[in-house]
Amino acid sequence: MAREKGAKGRESRLRLLHAAAKQFAIHGFHETKVSSIVAEAKLSQPAFYLYFESKDAVFEELVKLFHVRLTTVINESRLPEINSTDGVLNQLCHTLTLMFDYFYANPYLTRIGFHLAPQSQNMKQELVQWVEQMLSGEQRSGQFKSDFRMNMVAECLVGTIERIVFTQLLPGKVAPEQLALDIVNLYVSGIGMKQSKV
Amino acid sequence: MAREKGAKGRESRLRLLHAAAKQFAIHGFHETKVSSIVAEAKLSQPAFYLYFESKDAVFEELVKLFHVRLTTVINESRLPEINSTDGVLNQLCHTLTLMFDYFYANPYLTRIGFHLAPQSQNMKQELVQWVEQMLSGEQRSGQFKSDFRMNMVAECLVGTIERIVFTQLLPGKVAPEQLALDIVNLYVSGIGMKQSKV
Amino acid sequence: MAREKGAKGRESRLRLLHAAAKQFAIHGFHETKVSSIVAEAKLSQPAFYLYFESKDAVFEELVKLFHVRLTTVINESRLPEINSTDGVLNQLCHTLTLMFDYFYANPYLTRIGFHLAPQSQNMKQELVQWVEQMLSGEQRSGQFKSDFRMNMVAECLVGTIERIVFTQLLPGKVAPEQLALDIVNLYVSGIGMKQSKV
Amino acid sequence: MAREKGAKGRESRLRLLHAAAKQFAIHGFHETKVSSIVAEAKLSQPAFYLYFESKDAVFEELVKLFHVRLTTVINESRLPEINSTDGVLNQLCHTLTLMFDYFYANPYLTRIGFHLAPQSQNMKQELVQWVEQMLSGEQRSGQFKSDFRMNMVAECLVGTIERIVFTQLLPGKVAPEQLALDIVNLYVSGIGMKQSKV
DNA sequence: GATGAATGAGACTTCATTCAT
DNA sequence: TATGAATGAAGTCTCATTCAT
């Protein structure tokens, strides 16, 4: 046999993982039964417990997977350091684009890790901090208005990202790069013609 | 007897409704057991079914309650028609403030109707359309940049609102009015010093 | 007030009894809820227990009522003793007619006491014995064939009665007297033209 | 392993089916708890739902089983066509014998399908029609008295059958063939010595 | 590596019945 | 005489999980 030992098992495990991701994403954690996961994976229920501790465990694994990969995407998105406002905005836009690419390529995982999981709150919190740091630096260097609390802005941005991902990106309405561009533009300039102030 | 007829029953029903709201908000629909609702309301399980069809039914009722009240808040927030850009922004800010007041006064209901319920998607969609219409009018009158699709802006704004409500408003970090002001300001002017463009 | 003391209570009790009879007859014992009995009687649940020990108790009462009345009907149906075959057949026919009259006038009670109640078996057993005695006497006097076990004939007749009551009498398809006549005729002569024998 | 695949499951299912039949027959539908069925079958409650949709479903299955088998028995009881009165009576007697054989061999199923089930009314109705057709043909050919409505006779006969089955056959008091003979004889000739008429 | 068969634990719901007024 | 309000007890069903092969 050409296949190495253990290959079949790994495949079964993967099938289960994918099936679980799909079911969780579509039906949520509680509405997803182990029985429907294994049905989708064309395996039996005991097979499930051959590869995973429990239903909770697969969910955890998927969440972690999402988190790790997203972190990697973000970390690897760092552009060569260009210290200018445009640099920061470019960086933001670039990172957002890569994130969106990742989300778009992994819709089920995204719904799980960015929406369903309780830990998604922490992840979004991390994201907020990451954005905040970026913007704060620029703010201290005087390129951004100083009357905004950058933490607040970051929170707003993350909220925007979350919604846009699920209403525009995943349904395929707008391309990742376009979305990133639109969002950054909006947050930088606002919609007013002039520097209006309420 | 000082109390009017039917008062005790109405009170029990209310206690159950509040208990349910609290439990659902904190633990989610599935993790909330009828047994814990009645425990919180200091009643027995059958009492629950004296006032509600089923666990699903209370949830529905709470969602509807949230929706109806929120709609009322929004509808009654209309200021005397002032046809100016400032008018629109004032209106937006005013409505947001009232909404936030409502959310802040009803945190459990808000978490249920704005987050947990599947129907919350529709509600947010309605909100998006409402915002979009407001902004579109102004856009046509030339007060807002024409290069933004206002639907996109509205989506962004609603995403922002959702997150801000749960991370800033409900935990009591920022006052309703302040939040409304900050958000509108941000969306109108952006954070950039000048009309920067990525 | 013109009404004597206790009249209202007796009326309520009667209403409940009738309601119970109707519900039991239509839906059977288990499918009948105390709640539907009181609903039909336009009273509250505690009122039910004011007049009856339990759900079982009303059922019992109805069964007994049926039994007592039916027994009375049968006992009072005795014709002036005429010792002849025709006499016996007349007696049988007369009694059946009166029974059928009673059944027809009390359809709910009949369904309960003649069909639903476990005790209905005993009642039918009594009926069998009563018929058997009648026929046996005649048999000994040589008027009936001696090769039939009259107990068997009586069982057959009671079976016939039971079915005919529910399929012909209660639905009002055939009049009581006609039914009695038909049945007795059938059992006396059979359907064959001649004295055929299988 | 000597046993073929799936044998154990089929056995368990059968055990449950038998247990259910017994319990239903003895205690009726409502008094029979799933817990007592599985106790009798020496299985746990969930096992029951492994093989049946619900308590109602097993009952239905048993009723259908009874109906199908009884229909088969009746259909296969057809003798080679002998067009004579004796032929019809022989046929009737033969079919009754086979039916009684079937009932005697399946007492629980019989009680369920012929007595407890609401659908048993339809089955008995079918039986009435079958008997009626048989007798009517003979009546038209002049072998039977024309002053009986054969539908009425058929109703009487079916009533007789039902009672005799439960009071004589199932308790084992009289053999199937004897019962069939007795009943047919009775219905053909009646008990009178002569062609008496009330 | 995989599965047919089975189960422990627990959730929702119903209903006859009673308490307090 | 009557009822609004409440509950104890019990039953059906589901589901994650495991045993035995």
Side-chain angles (χ1 to χ4, degrees):
Chain A
M1 58 186 87
R3 302 251 306 270
E4 58 192 309
K5 202 176 102 182
K8 197 166 169 218
R10 265 202 307 286
E11 246 174 54
S12 292
R13 190 179 202 283
L14 258 183
R15 273 218 311 288
L16 283 166
L17 206 57
H18 282 136
K22 183 170 171 188
Q23 296 292 321
F24 283 140
I26 295 176
H27 301 113
F29 181 79
H30 280 101
E31 306 281 3
T32 294
K33 318 297 174 201
V34 174
S35 61
S36 48
I37 295 177
V38 299
E40 171 122 9
K42 311 217 163 173
L43 281 169
S44 66
Q45 300 219 31
F48 178 90
Y49 291 91
L50 216 55
Y51 298 110
F52 304 98
E53 275 279 302
S54 65
K55 185 182 157 187
D56 292 77
V58 222
F59 192 81
E60 281 311 298
E61 180 162 339
L62 290 167
V63 172
K64 240 161 228 162
L65 200 56
F66 173 79
H67 190 195
V68 168
R69 288 200 195 159
L70 179 57
T71 305
T72 305
V73 165
I74 294 177
N75 288 338
E76 296 185 345
S77 72
R78 192 145 310 181
L79 293 176
E81 199 87 36
I82 306 173
N83 257 330
S84 72
T85 304
D86 277 11
V88 165
L89 296 180
N90 272 330
Q91 174 68 67
L92 187 58
C93 202
H94 181 61
T95 301
L96 280 185
T97 302
L98 291 181
M99 273 176 53
F100 288 169
D101 281 340
Y102 172 63
F103 291 156
Y104 189 66
N106 299 274
Y108 296 146
L109 222 46
T110 299
R111 188 162 286 275
I112 291 168
F114 212 51
H115 203 70
L116 263 40
Q119 301 98 306
S120 70
Q121 296 312 322
N122 300 332
M123 263 173 267
K124 283 177 255 180
Q125 186 53 33
E126 288 175 22
L127 207 52
V128 167
Q129 280 158 10
W130 180 82
V131 172
E132 187 185 351
Q133 281 198 343
M134 265 190 127
L135 300 183
S136 294
E138 214 55 24
Q139 187 177 33
R140 274 192 300 280
S141 79
Q143 300 305 314
F144 290 157
K145 289 183 192 127
S146 57
D147 50 353
F148 279 119
R149 287 169 301 110
M150 280 303 153
N151 175 266
M152 171 76 182
V153 174
E155 289 280 359
C156 290
L157 180 58
V158 169
T160 287
I161 290 171
E162 183 176 358
R163 179 160 184 92
I164 290 303
V165 165
F166 291 114
T167 66
Q168 310 293 116
L169 178 68
L170 295 194
K173 291 189 180 166
V174 187
E177 189 166 10
Q178 183 63 46
L179 279 181
L181 210 59
D182 284 356
I183 291 175
V184 172
N185 253 333
L186 174 61
Y187 271 75
V188 170
S189 324
I191 58 172
M193 290 299 297
K194 37 182 186 178
Q195 228 59 358
S196 62
K197 195 76 173 291
V198 183
Chain B
M1 57 197 84
R3 303 257 299 276
E4 58 193 310
K5 203 174 106 182
K8 196 163 172 223
R10 265 201 308 284
E11 254 171 48
S12 294
R13 189 178 202 282
L14 260 182
R15 272 216 315 287
L16 284 167
L17 207 57
H18 283 137
K22 182 168 171 190
Q23 296 292 322
F24 283 141
I26 296 176
H27 301 110
F29 181 80
H30 281 100
E31 304 281 4
T32 295
K33 314 299 174 196
V34 174
S35 59
S36 48
I37 296 177
V38 298
E40 171 125 8
K42 311 220 162 172
L43 281 169
S44 65
Q45 294 224 30
F48 178 89
Y49 293 92
L50 214 53
Y51 298 109
F52 304 99
E53 279 272 305
S54 64
K55 187 180 149 186
D56 291 77
V58 224
F59 192 80
E60 281 310 297
E61 180 161 338
L62 290 168
V63 172
K64 239 160 228 162
L65 201 55
F66 173 79
H67 190 195
V68 167
R69 289 200 195 159
L70 178 57
T71 305
T72 305
V73 164
I74 294 178
N75 288 339
E76 295 185 346
S77 71
R78 192 145 311 183
L79 292 176
E81 200 88 36
I82 307 174
N83 258 332
S84 71
T85 304
D86 278 11
V88 165
L89 296 180
N90 272 329
Q91 175 68 71
L92 188 58
C93 203
H94 181 60
T95 301
L96 280 186
T97 302
L98 291 180
M99 273 177 53
F100 288 168
D101 282 340
Y102 171 63
F103 292 154
Y104 189 66
N106 300 274
Y108 296 145
L109 222 47
T110 299
R111 188 162 287 275
I112 291 169
F114 213 50
H115 204 71
L116 263 40
Q119 301 100 305
S120 70
Q121 296 311 322
N122 300 332
M123 262 173 267
K124 283 177 255 180
Q125 187 53 35
E126 287 176 23
L127 207 52
V128 166
Q129 281 159 8
W130 179 82
V131 171
E132 188 186 350
Q133 280 199 342
M134 268 191 122
L135 301 183
S136 294
E138 214 55 25
Q139 187 178 31
R140 276 191 302 276
S141 79
Q143 300 306 314
F144 290 157
K145 288 185 193 126
S146 56
D147 51 352
F148 280 120
R149 286 170 303 110
M150 281 303 153
N151 175 265
M152 171 75 183
V153 174
E155 289 279 359
C156 290
L157 180 58
V158 169
T160 287
I161 290 172
E162 185 176 358
R163 179 157 185 92
I164 289 303
V165 164
F166 291 112
T167 66
Q168 311 293 117
L169 178 68
L170 295 195
K173 292 189 180 165
V174 188
E177 189 166 11
Q178 183 62 46
L179 279 181
L181 209 59
D182 285 357
I183 291 174
V184 172
N185 253 334
L186 174 61
Y187 271 75
V188 169
S189 326
I191 56 172
M193 291 298 298
K194 39 186 182 174
Q195 227 59 359
S196 60
K197 195 74 173 290
V198 182
Chain C
M1 58 188 84
R3 303 252 303 271
E4 57 191 311
K5 201 175 103 183
K8 197 166 170 218
R10 265 200 308 284
E11 245 173 54
S12 292
R13 189 178 204 283
L14 258 182
R15 274 219 311 289
L16 284 166
L17 207 57
H18 282 136
K22 182 169 172 188
Q23 296 291 322
F24 283 140
I26 295 176
H27 302 112
F29 181 79
H30 281 101
E31 306 282 3
T32 294
K33 320 295 174 204
V34 173
S35 61
S36 49
I37 295 176
V38 299
E40 172 124 7
K42 310 218 165 173
L43 280 168
S44 67
Q45 300 219 30
F48 178 91
Y49 292 89
L50 216 54
Y51 298 110
F52 304 98
E53 274 279 300
S54 66
K55 184 182 158 186
D56 292 78
V58 223
F59 192 81
E60 282 310 298
E61 180 162 340
L62 289 167
V63 172
K64 240 160 227 163
L65 200 56
F66 173 80
H67 190 194
V68 168
R69 289 201 195 158
L70 179 56
T71 305
T72 306
V73 165
I74 294 177
N75 289 338
E76 295 184 346
S77 72
R78 191 146 312 182
L79 294 176
E81 199 89 35
I82 307 173
N83 255 331
S84 74
T85 304
D86 278 9
V88 166
L89 297 180
N90 273 328
Q91 175 68 70
L92 188 57
C93 202
H94 180 61
T95 301
L96 280 186
T97 302
L98 291 181
M99 273 177 52
F100 289 168
D101 281 340
Y102 171 64
F103 292 156
Y104 190 65
N106 300 274
Y108 296 147
L109 222 48
T110 299
R111 188 162 287 275
I112 292 168
F114 212 50
H115 203 71
L116 263 40
Q119 301 99 306
S120 70
Q121 295 313 321
N122 300 331
M123 261 173 267
K124 281 177 257 180
Q125 187 53 35
E126 288 175 23
L127 207 53
V128 167
Q129 282 159 9
W130 179 83
V131 172
E132 188 185 351
Q133 282 198 342
M134 266 191 125
L135 301 182
S136 294
E138 213 55 27
Q139 186 177 33
R140 275 191 302 277
S141 79
Q143 299 307 312
F144 290 157
K145 289 185 192 124
S146 57
D147 51 353
F148 279 120
R149 287 169 301 111
M150 280 304 152
N151 174 266
M152 171 76 182
V153 173
E155 289 280 359
C156 291
L157 180 58
V158 170
T160 287
I161 291 172
E162 184 176 359
R163 179 158 184 93
I164 289 303
V165 165
F166 292 113
T167 67
Q168 311 292 117
L169 178 68
L170 295 195
K173 292 190 180 164
V174 186
E177 189 166 10
Q178 182 64 46
L179 278 181
L181 209 60
D182 284 356
I183 291 173
V184 172
N185 254 332
L186 175 60
Y187 271 75
V188 169
S189 324
I191 58 173
M193 290 298 298
K194 38 184 184 176
Q195 227 58 358
S196 62
K197 197 74 173 291
V198 183
Chain D
M1 58 194 84
R3 302 256 301 273
E4 58 193 312
K5 205 175 104 180
K8 196 163 171 224
R10 265 201 309 284
E11 253 170 48
S12 293
R13 190 180 201 282
L14 259 181
R15 273 216 313 288
L16 285 166
L17 206 58
H18 283 136
K22 183 170 172 188
Q23 296 292 322
F24 283 141
I26 296 176
H27 302 111
F29 181 80
H30 280 101
E31 305 282 2
T32 295
K33 315 300 175 195
V34 174
S35 60
S36 48
I37 296 176
V38 298
E40 171 126 8
K42 310 222 162 170
L43 282 168
S44 66
Q45 292 223 31
F48 178 90
Y49 294 92
L50 212 53
Y51 299 108
F52 304 99
E53 279 272 305
S54 64
K55 186 180 149 186
D56 292 77
V58 223
F59 192 80
E60 281 310 298
E61 180 162 339
L62 290 167
V63 172
K64 239 161 228 161
L65 201 55
F66 173 79
H67 191 196
V68 168
R69 288 198 193 160
L70 178 57
T71 305
T72 304
V73 165
I74 293 178
N75 288 338
E76 295 184 345
S77 71
R78 192 145 309 182
L79 294 176
E81 200 87 37
I82 307 174
N83 256 330
S84 72
T85 305
D86 279 11
V88 165
L89 296 179
N90 273 328
Q91 173 70 72
L92 187 57
C93 202
H94 181 60
T95 302
L96 280 185
T97 302
L98 291 180
M99 274 177 51
F100 288 169
D101 281 340
Y102 172 64
F103 291 155
Y104 189 64
N106 300 274
Y108 296 146
L109 221 48
T110 299
R111 188 162 288 275
I112 292 168
F114 212 51
H115 204 71
L116 262 40
Q119 300 99 306
S120 69
Q121 296 311 323
N122 300 331
M123 263 173 265
K124 283 177 254 180
Q125 186 54 33
E126 286 176 23
L127 208 52
V128 166
Q129 281 160 9
W130 179 83
V131 172
E132 187 186 351
Q133 281 198 343
M134 264 191 128
L135 302 182
S136 294
E138 214 56 25
Q139 187 177 34
R140 275 192 300 277
S141 78
Q143 301 306 315
F144 289 158
K145 290 187 190 123
S146 58
D147 52 352
F148 281 120
R149 286 170 301 111
M150 281 302 154
N151 175 265
M152 171 75 184
V153 174
E155 289 279 359
C156 291
L157 180 58
V158 169
T160 287
I161 290 170
E162 184 176 358
R163 179 157 185 93
I164 290 303
V165 164
F166 292 113
T167 66
Q168 311 294 116
L169 178 68
L170 295 195
K173 292 189 181 165
V174 187
E177 190 167 8
Q178 183 63 47
L179 279 181
L181 209 59
D182 285 356
I183 292 175
V184 172
N185 254 333
L186 175 61
Y187 271 76
V188 169
S189 325
I191 59 172
M193 289 298 298
K194 37 180 187 181
Q195 227 58 0
S196 60
K197 195 74 174 289
V198 182

